[in-house]
Amino acid sequence: QKEVEQNSGPLSVPEGAIASLNCTYSDRGSQSFFWYRQYSGKSPELIMSIYSNGDKEDGRFTAQLNKASQYVSLLIRDSQPSDSATYLCAVNMYDTGTASKLTFGTGTRLQVTL
Amino acid sequence: GAGVSQSPSNKVTEKGKDVELRCDPISGHTALYWYRQSLGQGLEFLIYFQGNSAPDKSGLPSDRFSAERTGGSVSTLTIQRTQQEDSAVYLCASSLEREAPLHFGNGTRLTVT
């Protein structure tokens, strides 16, 4: 069973702090990785995509990928109350004989406190 | 440009009735996914289309669920003889190609009474 694992949280961080969200995946062959943010009652929206080992920065967000450890993380600097949401890790996974499909973790709920 | 469009946005139906949910992906997007999300839960994969073909139907919960995609564009998810456990938000997403990011529609909230 191909899996994407996330801590469900809630992860509580004070305003202005760095929030660190982690994700592990089971398929060594995975090549594309995504972080989505989902506000309550809304659809997921793409925050970051990452395809190569290392760090990728976009504004206050940094995605980190380590394929050898099968680990991808999302750092949010200067956390704001508006960042409070559920963060979904998604990984393209391959099953023998089928095309890859995007598999989501169950998400980590982030709470940024004043 | 226009995003992924889903209709209806809300659907209330009686147990045992059939329902059809529609998804109109972003123009030019070849990959189309259907997911289901129950209250407070994660995304449950249902089915994936690449063009008009469905390489992976493994997520369909039972034979009451079926989906098709015509002309490489619009997709319809059909649930026959609905049950109360089918109540959820059904999300459609599309992407330009297989490894590209997904763009989600606003979902259809299905309530089976």
Side-chain angles (χ1 to χ4, degrees), chain A residues 6 11 18 23 25-27 33 37 39 48 50 53 57 60-62 68 70 77 89 94-95 98 104 106 110:
Chain A
Q6 293 183 258
L11 173 66
I18 296 175
C23 171
Y25 59 95
S26 61
D27 185 358
F33 308 85
R37 177 177 62 199
Y39 292 113
M48 295 280 288
I50 187 166
N53 278 329
E57 187 175 319
R60 295 187 296 112
F61 299 98
T62 298
Q70 293 173 239
R77 290 181 299 283
C89 173
Y94 298 81
D95 286 313
T98 69
F104 283 83
T106 54
L110 173 67

Side-chain angles (χ1 to χ4, degrees), chain A residues 65-110:
Chain A
L65 175 61
N66 183 327
K67 291 183 181 179
S69 300
Q70 293 173 239
Y71 176 93
V72 57
S73 65
L74 180 71
L75 300 178
I76 306 175
R77 290 181 299 283
D78 188 24
S79 295
Q80 301 297 309
S82 59
D83 295 327
S84 298
T86 296
Y87 289 80
L88 302 168
C89 173
V91 180
N92 251 310
M93 295 198 157
Y94 298 81
D95 286 313
T96 301
T98 69
S100 65
K101 73 179 183 213
L102 197 60
T103 302
F104 283 83
T106 54
T108 298
R109 188 156 65 93
L110 173 67

